[in-house]
Amino acid sequence: MPVSGEIDHEGPDPVYVQLAAILRARIGSGELPHGRALPSRERLAAEFGVSRGTCEKALAILREEGLVKTSFGRGVYVTKRP
Amino acid sequence: MPVSGEIDHEGPDPVYVQLAAILRARIGSGELPHGRALPSRERLAAEFGVSRGTCEKALAILREEGLVKTSFGRGVYVTKRP
DNA sequence: GCCCATTTGTACGTATGTATG
DNA sequence: GCATACATACGTACAAATGGG
């Protein structure tokens, strides 16, 4: 799974998988450090040119992996330490 | 159209027709009473082992029959009185 | 305490691409 | 070729929680 930082809408990998990989890489690199809030669905959707539902799916993957934790009405926070 | 409560992926009837029949029976029997919200597409898909699109097709049939009514963004409700 | 914007979660409707028989 | 079925993706809509003013 290449992580170019750009979404390839034509490629073989689903967009939500690509987006999860990008965010996972940003967490792994420390660009999104422990405790930091991720951009909202709205912002992610705008930044990557995808829909909010797709961002939702990508974040669901990271949540399952234990990399982030969501706080209803507040945001999504990085739980993974570098 | 037999209504066993189970989907037969091998049988002659399309899955979406079978699913519509099952839900129609549940409405007719009062198991899904007037005003009750049906499970979401996601839940129906999980319960019956089919895709969301197939659930969509099944519900479209019931909608056309006037058995249920959709409230966009909220759910599908039984309109048929027993 | 109340309004209001933001954010999350969930659900619906639709469209498209792919695979299968 | 066509109908069926699934997965993906987008857009829209509503409810609930949070936090600031």
Side-chain angles (χ1 to χ4, degrees):
Chain A
M1 162 67 55
V3 181
S4 67
E6 284 287 325
I7 299 290
D8 177 12
H9 283 261
E10 310 307 320
D13 296 311
V15 174
Y16 70 91
V17 172
Q18 293 182 54
L19 179 53
I22 292 172
L23 296 176
R24 191 184 301 114
R26 290 188 180 177
I27 292 172
S29 73
E31 182 181 341
L32 287 171
H34 175 268
R36 168 75 55 82
L38 272 66
S40 71
R41 312 289 196 275
E42 213 70 61
R43 292 184 186 282
L44 285 175
E47 176 180 349
F48 291 99
V50 301
S51 75
R52 232 199 63 171
T54 300
C55 299
E56 190 66 50
K57 272 195 162 185
L59 291 178
I61 293 177
L62 302 183
R63 204 180 313 145
E64 241 180 90
E65 292 173 352
L67 299 182
V68 301
K69 192 170 178 302
T70 69
S71 182
F72 200 152
R74 292 206 301 142
V76 181
Y77 297 87
V78 178
T79 51
K80 176 75 173 179
R81 293 189 181 277
Chain B
M1 160 70 53
V3 181
S4 67
E6 284 287 325
I7 299 290
D8 177 12
H9 283 262
E10 310 306 321
D13 297 310
V15 174
Y16 69 90
V17 173
Q18 292 182 54
L19 179 52
I22 292 172
L23 296 175
R24 191 185 301 112
R26 291 189 181 179
I27 292 173
S29 73
E31 182 181 341
L32 287 171
H34 176 267
R36 168 76 55 81
L38 271 65
S40 71
R41 311 287 196 275
E42 214 69 61
R43 291 185 187 283
L44 287 175
E47 176 180 349
F48 292 99
V50 300
S51 75
R52 227 200 66 171
T54 300
C55 298
E56 190 65 51
K57 273 194 164 184
L59 291 179
I61 294 176
L62 302 183
R63 203 181 312 144
E64 242 181 87
E65 293 173 352
L67 299 183
V68 300
K69 191 169 177 303
T70 290
S71 181
F72 204 149
R74 292 205 303 137
V76 179
Y77 297 86
V78 178
T79 51
K80 175 75 171 182
R81 293 189 181 277

